[in-house]
Amino acid sequence: MTEGWDPGAFRARVDEVLHRFVADEADLLAAVDPALGPVADEVEASVAVGKRLRAAFCYWGWRAAGQPDSDALVRAAASMELVHAAAVVHDDLIDDSPLRHGRPTAHTALRETVRQHPRPVDAARSLAMLVGDLLVSLAGQLFATSGLPATYLGRARPLWAALARDLIAGECLEILHTGAAPDTTASLKVVRYKTAKYTVEQPLLIGGLLAGAGDRLRAGYSAYGLPLGEAFQLRDDLLGLFGDARHTGKANADDVRGHRPTALLAETWRVADRPERERLRALLGRPDLDEEGLESVRAVMRRLKAPERVESMIAARVEEALGALDELAVPAPATRALTALARAVAVRAS
């Protein structure tokens, strides 16, 4: 992988690292007691599939700084996917989402394991929380044992603390704003801290720090990564409500039933008149929302052209990211790969 960028081949490399590492750790967990088998299964299931975008951005943060392809770097980059897997388990738990990638989420799948428990739903949620906690620990372990020199790892380690802090800040902000009057500025802050930074900017910066990138290059990574990460989450919000669930693998009603502070909802609310806001109030946050109610929310959004405004926000952010990339003097393969990754983030069906 010295000149061309083959996303499929890269995903296969990351998958090989993740699946082997997590399978070994899951076996060690299950060896403690046979009762832990279903928990270990959920640890493995958490990394079974994925786009591996975070690993890719870490990899190209390294390569754009002039470093060659490296199996040790791929292992370090794969640790970004364990951070993501932990965030997904915790996010599904917080949102009480039933599906992810077309299969039951961890807290849903584990209910069968604790059916004898006096409070099986609470017990399953507790087990899922611990699965996510273990994944965070495994991410640090994989990073530290990647095979890169200790001096390289030391350069990037401080950013891990920032990554965790920002991710938790974003999750907390989403909880704090859930159910409140929708506000686009507040929603975009949630987007930035919950998703954008740890999806694009921070993996790029970690790759760059591992490679010894200077201040100017790292500033360029942020100028590219932050708007692109925001575009990723804005696309996710659109897909969450208007996408094909067969492709997204998630339930379309989650954001509406949860009354989550998405930019899509905030943009709808911003231009809605009083009757439209009353209609939305009657539907948002209802756990029993049916398909008819969901379609009513979609109809209001379409009528007010909220999806089109979010599409414009996505396009503007991708343009900003690519403009920042154009100003960076990085090797041509890195420019091509980061351009392709930007388009993959913005134009997708899942």
Side-chain angles (χ1 to χ4, degrees):
M1 198 174 295
T2 55
E3 293 298 328
W5 167 234
D6 184 342
F10 180 78
R11 280 197 302 273
R13 291 176 76 186
V14 173
D15 282 347
E16 182 179 4
V17 170
L18 283 175
H19 294 165
R20 182 177 300 174
F21 176 77
V22 174
D24 288 347
E25 291 295 329
D27 286 347
L28 291 171
L29 178 65
V32 173
D33 191 288
L36 292 169
V39 180
D41 289 344
E42 288 306 309
V43 174
E44 286 197 78
S46 70
V47 298
V49 296
K51 301 177 185 67
R52 311 313 185 200
L53 289 173
R54 292 153 188 87
F57 284 117
C58 184
Y59 177 85
W60 285 106
W62 165 273
R63 293 293 308 279
Q67 293 283 7
D69 180 63
S70 161
D71 288 338
L73 187 280
V74 171
R75 284 180 58 83
S79 69
M80 301 289 100
E81 297 300 328
L82 288 170
V83 173
H84 176 53
V88 165
V89 171
H90 285 152
D91 194 48
D92 288 341
L93 183 59
I94 291 165
D95 294 338
D96 200 23
S97 297
L99 292 174
R100 175 75 67 162
H101 297 306
R103 68 174 298 274
T105 50
H107 66 277
T108 303
L110 286 165
R111 287 177 191 168
E112 180 64 21
T113 303
V114 290
R115 61 186 182 277
Q116 84 296 337
H117 195 281
R119 299 188 307 279
V121 173
D122 291 342
R125 292 175 64 84
S126 296
L127 289 175
M129 177 185 67
L130 294 168
V131 167
D133 291 348
L134 178 57
L135 289 165
V136 172
S137 174
L138 294 181
Q141 181 183 338
L142 181 57
F143 184 78
T145 61
S146 62
L148 289 172
T151 52
Y152 287 30
L153 298 174
R155 291 194 294 247
R157 192 169 287 115
L159 190 53
W160 275 83
L163 185 155
R165 181 177 60 250
D166 289 343
L167 177 54
I168 290 170
E171 286 282 8
C172 289
L173 285 172
E174 183 176 61
I175 293 168
L176 292 166
H177 289 301
T178 291
D183 176 80
T184 300
T185 299
S187 294
L188 289 175
K189 180 169 276 190
V190 171
V191 163
R192 172 164 289 202
Y193 283 89
K194 180 188 171 186
T195 304
K197 292 177 77 67
Y198 100 93
T199 296
V200 184
E201 183 205 22
Q202 287 163 331
L204 267 172
L205 287 172
I206 287 173
L209 285 166
L210 289 170
D215 291 344
R216 181 182 176 279
L217 183 55
R218 296 201 307 273
Y221 284 174
S222 291
Y224 164 91
L226 275 174
L228 188 58
E230 291 176 359
F232 175 89
Q233 183 58 46
L234 291 169
R235 174 63 63 201
D236 221 44
D237 291 346
L238 280 175
L239 290 171
L241 189 52
F242 291 96
D244 187 335
R246 293 172 299 180
H247 294 149
T248 65
K250 294 183 281 189
N252 287 121
D254 278 2
D255 287 348
V256 177
R257 285 179 180 153
H259 196 171
R260 294 173 194 155
T262 65
L264 177 61
L265 174 59
E267 280 298 291
T268 303
W269 190 267
R270 185 174 63 82
V271 298
D273 60 21
R274 182 174 295 177
E276 288 163 335
R277 287 187 175 187
E278 288 302 317
R279 180 62 177 154
L280 290 170
R281 282 194 186 98
L283 295 168
L284 293 170
R286 285 182 53 175
D288 62 343
L289 186 76
D290 58 16
E291 184 60 33
E292 182 180 352
L294 184 61
E295 188 52 42
S296 293
V297 174
R298 290 191 186 108
V300 173
M301 290 179 168
R302 290 190 186 103
R303 186 163 61 250
L304 299 176
K305 300 187 181 303
E308 288 89 337
R309 287 197 300 282
V310 173
E311 287 285 2
S312 296
M313 293 163 71
I314 293 170
R317 283 161 172 77
V318 173
E319 183 178 358
E320 181 182 350
L322 292 176
L325 180 61
D326 285 343
E327 295 180 7
L328 287 177
V330 299
T335 298
R336 290 194 294 269
L338 291 171
T339 299
L341 283 165
R343 304 203 185 284
V345 159
V347 183
R348 56 193 173 91
S350 65

